[in-house]
Amino acid sequence: MNILMVCLGNICRSPMAEGVLRHMATEHGLPVRTDSAGTSHYHVGEAPDRRATASMRRHGIDISDLRARQFVADDFHRFDLILAMDESNLANIRALAPHPELAAKARLIMDLVPEHALRSVPDPYYGGDEGFEQVYAMLTEACAVLIKDLRTHG
Ligand code: 4NP
């Protein structure tokens, strides 16, 4: 199973999502390949934002190896599931789908947790550390559902 996490810059939310999923998949011995990308080119080649790395480290997860890249149309062929952090990311990704049926691979990550009050993971870039903690909490909830699904249905 190949899963791609997508946000705008690929330095805050999506590398955190990749880190959470990678950590949980390893813990459960699941054969999940993870990656992340941004819809923009703003931070291509950069390591995650230091606040994202610090937040993840507080929770025992190292994401310092990750580097930002831009989402490309071919990702629709390379990944089974593409999880967007917000509605804007989802619209931008779907606009690049090579075929309409491939667009269905892209979904909002919080659709995994329909009972959650928020549909989008808020962009923490212009805020404080508490924003990154909120992102971590939401991603942990969503990835736990994903891991449970993968353990049940493969
Ligand atoms: P991300 O956060 O999409 O969660 O990586 C952002 C990072 C950078 C910018 C915006 C959001 N930016 O405008 O540079």
Side-chain angles (χ1 to χ4, degrees):
M1 185 79 166
N2 294 338
I3 301 176
L4 180 67
M5 303 292 193
V6 180
C7 63
L8 174 61
N10 193 207
I11 54 168
C12 297
R13 292 165 292 175
S14 62
M16 290 176 73
E18 180 181 357
V20 168
L21 182 60
R22 181 171 72 176
H23 181 79
M24 287 183 176
T26 303
E27 264 187 337
H28 292 278
L30 292 171
V32 177
R33 295 245 306 274
T34 58
D35 194 8
S36 63
T39 57
S40 78
H41 60 85
Y42 305 150
H43 297 278
V44 167
E46 292 180 24
D49 186 286
R50 69 186 65 234
R51 296 165 297 173
T53 309
S55 170
M56 294 293 285
R57 195 181 299 119
R58 279 195 289 278
H59 297 285
I61 303 174
D62 181 14
I63 57 166
S64 61
D65 59 304
L66 303 181
R67 294 296 177 269
R69 72 169 177 90
Q70 188 169 16
F71 182 87
V72 292
D74 192 49
D75 287 322
F76 276 102
H77 295 295
R78 295 177 49 220
F79 292 91
D80 304 300
L81 183 60
I82 300 171
L83 295 174
M85 298 299 124
D86 65 36
E87 300 276 7
S88 158
N89 308 147
L90 183 64
N92 289 327
I93 294 164
R94 284 191 170 158
L96 293 174
H99 304 291
E101 61 272 26
L102 287 175
K105 286 186 176 185
R107 297 168 48 190
L108 281 179
I109 189 167
M110 291 312 291
D111 280 354
L112 289 161
V113 195
E115 66 274 21
H116 198 285
L118 298 180
R119 302 278 29 91
S120 286
V121 181
D123 184 347
Y125 189 62
Y126 294 105
D129 284 341
E130 67 286 352
F132 286 82
E133 289 306 309
Q134 180 191 17
V135 168
Y136 175 81
M138 292 179 75
L139 296 175
T140 301
E141 234 183 290
C143 288
V145 173
L146 187 52
I147 291 288
K148 197 171 164 212
D149 284 355
L150 293 171
R151 294 182 75 191
T152 312
H153 307 294

